[in-house]
Amino acid sequence: AGGAFAVPAIIPASALGRGGAVAPSERIVMGAIGVGGRGTGDMGWMLGEADVQFVAVCDVQQGNRERARNLVNSRYGNQDCAAFRDLREVFAQRPDLDAVLIATGDRWHAPASILAMQAGLDVYCEKPGALTIAEGQALVAAEARYGRVFQTGAQQIGRASCRVRV
């Protein structure tokens, strides 16, 4: 019986979502694929969201990978962010992900998004989501088939300008 009273002293309030913290079960665990200028910009505003936690970055260019990894590690004050060169490694080695940011070169947006949805991840993808009608149809089919969420971003549109006006 005495152990039951000691439990609150062992579990920090932040793990329970108290004191302004987001409980781990309520966080969106993310990876970023394509972390050049646009991808790093997207990742930067997402890092400011309390319910988002980046744990992996991926880019074919080592400089981009390291810069993004350092940005994530600096934000969280640790060295936990994994860095990958190949997006397939992200899907294979990070089963803890809930979603990915995709900001690769335009020709890779649809293929990378489809692979991510096949891996069971939700996707925020920079525009254009697809380059052809066939790619767009494949994205819609993958979203339905795998029961995932796919969202295409639009540059230069702030959150305030997206409000519905009546």
Side-chain angles (χ1 to χ4, degrees):
F5 292 108
V7 171
I10 296 170
I11 299 173
S14 61
L16 302 172
R18 296 187 182 136
V22 177
S25 61
E26 298 299 318
R27 288 188 202 131
I28 302 168
V29 180
M30 291 194 66
I33 299 171
V35 287
R38 188 72 200 153
T40 299
D42 286 341
M43 194 175 67
W45 70 259
M46 289 180 184
L47 280 167
E49 299 295 322
D51 60 348
V52 171
Q53 180 182 12
F54 277 91
V55 297
V57 295
C58 176
D59 200 285
V60 295
Q61 295 184 21
Q62 183 177 358
N64 289 345
R65 274 194 312 272
E66 291 306 314
R67 186 181 68 250
R69 181 181 188 180
N70 290 337
L71 178 67
V72 171
N73 286 338
S74 174
R75 165 66 173 91
Y76 301 124
N78 60 36
Q79 296 296 309
D80 295 345
C81 184
F84 299 93
R85 184 176 188 275
D86 187 318
L87 61 92
R88 294 167 294 194
E89 293 174 356
V90 175
F91 306 142
Q93 296 181 31
R94 294 308 303 232
D96 57 332
L97 295 178
D98 299 314
V100 287
L101 155 66
I102 295 177
T104 59
D106 293 353
R107 285 175 170 65
W108 272 95
H109 286 183
S113 296
I114 291 168
L115 287 171
M117 288 186 278
Q118 285 174 338
L121 303 173
D122 294 328
V123 176
Y124 175 86
C125 182
E126 259 307 321
K127 71 174 184 73
L131 293 178
T132 66
I133 292 170
E135 276 187 347
Q137 291 169 332
L139 280 170
V140 170
E143 182 181 24
R145 179 176 183 186
Y146 300 108
R148 304 314 320 164
V149 174
F150 174 83
Q151 179 181 347
T152 300
Q155 294 175 345
Q156 309 303 324
I157 297 178
R159 290 182 216 148
S161 64
C162 294
R163 289 191 212 135
V164 176
R165 291 180 172 81
V166 180

